[in-house]
Amino acid sequence: MKSLLFFLFFLSSGNCKETTPTTVYLCNSPSAKKYHYKSDCRGLSNCSYKIVKTTLEKANKDKKTLCGWEK
């Protein structure tokens, strides 16, 4: 019985890992410096340009950093 419980715990423990989204959102302004995980993040509320969807890899290449509201 102990080995069965251990086995079930071992199987389920791998599913608790938090993953980072690969899609992010940013304001298409030339001066924008942040990316956002959610398109409705309050950090995007002042964006007067178009909000665009991109990859986290591209946002990092463009030297964007994570919005402080999403940390």
Side-chain angles (χ1 to χ4, degrees), residues 8-41:
L8 291 174
F9 174 77
F10 179 76
L11 284 179
S12 65
S13 65
N15 296 331
C16 295
K17 186 177 179 183
E18 191 175 316
T19 59
T20 303
T22 57
T23 301
V24 296
Y25 301 88
L26 39 93
C27 182
N28 203 22
S29 163
S31 62
K33 297 176 183 162
K34 304 290 182 179
Y35 65 84
H36 311 263
Y37 291 138
K38 297 177 274 184
S39 62
D40 62 346
C41 174

